[in-house]
Amino acid sequence: MSNTEKEPLFSAKNLKCLTGPLSHNNPVIVQVLGICSALAVTAGLKPAFVMALSVTTVTAFSNLIMSLLRKGIPSRIRIIVQLVVIASLVILVDQVLKAYVYDVSKQLSVYVGLIITNCIIMGRVEAFALGNKPWPAFLDGIGNGIGYGMILIIIAFFRELLGAGTLWGYRIIPESWYIQNGGFYSNNGLMLLPPMALVIVGIIIWIHRSRNKDLIEK
Amino acid sequence: MGKKQLENEVRSEKKSGFDKNSNTYIITYSVIMVVIVAAVLAFAALSLQPKQEANTMNEKKMAILASIGIESTAENVDAQYAENITAYAVDARGDVVESISADEVLDGLKDLRAFREKAFPVFVSKDGRNIVPVIGKGLWGDIWGYVALDGRWEKVKGVVFDHKGETPGLGAEITSAKFRSQFEDKRIFDNGQFVSVAVLKGAGASAGNDYAVDAVSGGTITSRGVQAMLRDCLGSYVPYIEKQFAAQLPSVENNQELNEESNE
């Protein structure tokens, strides 16, 4: 039987590629990569979600392609090859966003282009895809993308809720609560500015480490 | 996909005994890679282009409609626009340019600066309001918008602004309803003299002033940009507007005729 020599698609080892980056090896809160875009696009849930989706697509496919190419790449130009593959994927994502979700693409503006410089992507290609088979590399890409996106969405949730009183553009905090309408409530404008995202990342890291003591540096 | 092909080519080359770090191999590899990538990207760009252009056009139509208070969505914007708006262009002497069709005027919005070299677009709503596009510079890049004036070209009836990359929370506040609503009913002519709408620094600085609004706090340079943009772009229409005034008010018309006679 071929099954005995071939590893099943979702073996424990492969699954670890997918789930590892969600918590114990999270790119944002453990490896502290991709912080810049995590601050920039998390003022609202919708751009954060689209950014998460875009980054996941790019990490997954750049990992897959680089893993397919890994045996043929001349090692002297491998960084250039990585950049070309990643940059083309990002341009594709950008074009698709411009054509199908124009308003979101406007909100994300330059940050889509800056996915190219997101350290998570090159980091995973260099550290994982070049030394592993396509399927685990693909899963690793998806895992890291989701690990990154998850944090983005948590940050965006708090920033949009407390900064604008909405979630995904829908009003959560009733209009009648606001001071200008005779209520007692006012949005926290600081939430909409990037420094607050950094504070939220800090709080997430704090909670995460307090629950995973092995991650605490000595 | 192309990448797979590339991989196969690379593999066969390897089997036939190439050194992976030889210059020949590296150059061949790069050339093949670049050609494949270029083909894929060119294909994507070309096939998505019509949709992207339609999106930018829709955005402009939505902004024009928004300046006269009509909300539209990407789905109904074409119908709404066709129902509510017509367009023509005027030149620097104040005459309507007959040779430019309404569609060409709308098309001119794609590159407004270039279009303004030859003519100035005017959009007219069903109820007779005049909407003019404006474009200028903010702090970090372009700012632009649409200004709706009443049928007599005297009062501002609504504005929309947009920007390329002004600072969120500061300069970017020019797009907020709070800033824009100040423009309602401001006048751009003082006794027949074009004055535009000034943007004054300090909350309440423009109180009671028919020709000014309050600037955005923390966005001084963007606010100055808005002021300059309005003065320059609305100013382009002054010859045309003065001809409209002349047509509306017989007394002014007489004066102009007198002037013309004396010039002769």
Side-chain angles (χ1 to χ4, degrees):
Chain A
M1 284 215 354
S2 64
N3 266 359
T4 48
E5 55 195 38
K6 213 176 163 197
E7 214 181 335
L9 277 186
F10 287 101
S11 66
K13 210 175 108 217
N14 284 347
L15 268 184
K16 202 152 177 13
C17 295
L18 191 63
T19 56
L22 297 188
S23 167
H24 258 69
N25 207 9
N26 189 288
V28 184
I29 61 174
V30 177
Q31 300 173 36
V32 198
L33 299 174
I35 292 287
C36 174
S37 55
L39 307 190
V41 300
T42 50
L45 263 182
K46 202 171 172 192
F49 180 77
V50 176
M51 187 70 177
L53 206 64
S54 312
V55 170
T56 308
T57 317
V58 175
T59 44
F61 284 95
S62 62
N63 264 9
L64 176 68
I65 292 167
M66 289 312 292
S67 175
L68 285 170
L69 295 175
R70 73 186 187 282
K71 295 212 171 94
I73 294 176
S75 60
R76 281 197 294 179
I77 59 162
R78 73 173 193 289
I79 302 283
I80 300 175
V81 178
Q82 288 169 19
L83 266 183
V84 170
V85 169
I86 295 169
S88 341
L89 283 169
V90 170
I91 294 170
L92 281 181
V93 167
D94 189 29
Q95 298 278 338
V96 170
L97 290 183
K98 270 195 192 131
Y100 293 99
V101 270
Y102 184 72
D103 52 330
V104 179
S105 122
K106 250 181 61 183
Q107 263 178 307
L108 292 175
S109 65
V110 295
Y111 294 102
V112 177
L114 287 179
I115 296 176
I116 298 171
T117 61
N118 192 322
C119 339
I120 298 170
I121 299 169
M122 271 200 89
R124 291 324 291 170
V125 167
E126 181 73 11
F128 194 86
L130 284 178
N132 284 282
K133 291 208 178 92
W135 176 245
F138 183 71
L139 287 182
D140 180 78
I142 290 189
N144 274 284
I146 294 175
Y148 165 84
M150 204 170 70
I151 303 299
L152 245 64
I153 285 170
I154 296 175
I155 302 171
F157 175 85
F158 288 110
R159 287 182 72 189
E160 192 178 345
L161 182 64
L162 301 176
T166 57
L167 282 179
W168 201 270
Y170 295 105
R171 183 139 291 285
I172 300 296
I173 294 168
E175 292 278 2
S176 58
W177 286 19
Y178 285 93
I179 291 171
Q180 62 262 38
N181 298 334
F184 56 89
Y185 185 80
S186 178
N187 284 327
N188 183 349
L190 184 61
M191 275 289 172
L192 292 176
L193 298 175
M196 214 49 211
L198 199 62
V199 173
I200 299 176
V201 174
I203 295 173
I204 296 174
I205 293 179
W206 176 23
I207 296 171
H208 186 246
R209 303 241 160 147
S210 69
R211 299 178 60 122
N212 298 278
K213 297 255 191 284
D214 51 319
L215 288 173
I216 301 172
E217 291 92 351
K218 285 280 157 353
Chain B
M1 280 275 298
K3 313 283 179 199
K4 186 93 185 173
Q5 248 176 355
L6 181 67
E7 197 224 353
N8 290 338
E9 278 168 53
V10 167
R11 211 171 255 165
S12 62
E13 269 176 330
K14 201 179 146 217
K15 271 180 197 150
S16 59
F18 265 109
D19 172 10
K20 271 209 302 180
N21 275 321
S22 75
N23 287 344
T24 336
Y25 181 73
I26 291 180
I27 291 169
T28 324
Y29 192 96
S30 329
V31 168
I32 295 172
M33 175 179 75
V34 167
V35 169
I36 291 175
V37 165
V40 170
L41 290 185
F43 174 76
L46 283 180
S47 52
L48 293 172
Q49 199 178 29
K51 206 146 170 87
Q52 292 170 354
E53 278 182 358
N55 281 337
T56 43
M57 213 62 234
N58 279 350
E59 190 196 8
K60 293 188 192 312
K61 288 179 178 173
M62 277 160 143
I64 293 173
L65 289 167
S67 73
I68 54 167
I70 299 177
E71 292 296 328
S72 51
T73 62
E75 285 76 36
N76 68 12
V77 63
D78 281 322
Q80 287 266 27
Y81 181 87
E83 191 193 325
N84 287 296
I85 309 283
T86 55
Y88 61 95
V90 298
D91 62 18
R93 289 193 307 279
D95 298 318
V96 174
V97 186
E98 304 286 352
S99 60
I100 302 177
S101 73
D103 285 343
E104 281 165 344
V105 174
L106 185 61
D107 214 46
L109 292 180
K110 279 181 194 158
D111 189 353
L112 183 60
R113 282 207 174 86
F115 190 80
R116 283 173 54 85
E117 300 283 313
K118 49 181 187 197
F120 310 114
V122 180
F123 298 89
V124 187
S125 74
K126 204 165 57 176
D127 53 7
R129 279 175 288 183
N130 300 296
I131 304 146
V132 298
V134 292
I135 187 163
K137 289 261 180 244
L139 173 59
W140 302 115
D142 280 350
I143 51 176
W144 62 91
Y146 296 87
V147 178
L149 299 156
D150 66 353
R152 296 165 63 90
W153 291 92
E154 284 174 329
K155 282 182 180 172
V156 177
K157 279 297 171 194
V159 290
V160 287
F161 294 121
D162 206 348
H163 61 94
K164 189 153 184 230
E166 298 307 299
T167 321
L170 303 175
E173 288 297 298
I174 58 167
T175 61
S176 70
K178 188 175 161 231
F179 178 70
R180 292 188 290 118
S181 62
Q182 296 185 84
F183 283 86
E184 190 90 359
D185 286 336
K186 296 292 172 184
R187 292 164 173 275
I188 60 167
F189 280 87
D190 182 8
N191 279 330
Q193 198 66 40
F194 175 67
V195 289
S196 183
V197 179
V199 183
L200 302 177
K201 196 168 175 173
S206 69
N209 189 337
D210 262 355
Y211 311 99
V213 295
D214 287 354
V216 175
S217 61
T220 306
I221 297 178
T222 313
S223 302
R224 275 191 212 138
V226 171
Q227 175 172 315
M229 166 172 83
L230 292 175
R231 200 181 46 234
D232 294 349
C233 293
L234 295 178
S236 316
Y237 296 87
V238 168
Y240 177 73
I241 298 174
E242 278 172 349
K243 284 194 180 174
Q244 301 298 305
F245 284 167
Q248 284 161 11
L249 309 164
S251 59
V252 179
E253 194 181 46
N254 289 341
N255 283 343
Q256 272 198 343
E257 271 174 11
L258 280 177
N259 286 341
E260 271 165 22
E261 273 168 11
S262 60
N263 283 343
E264 283 170 302

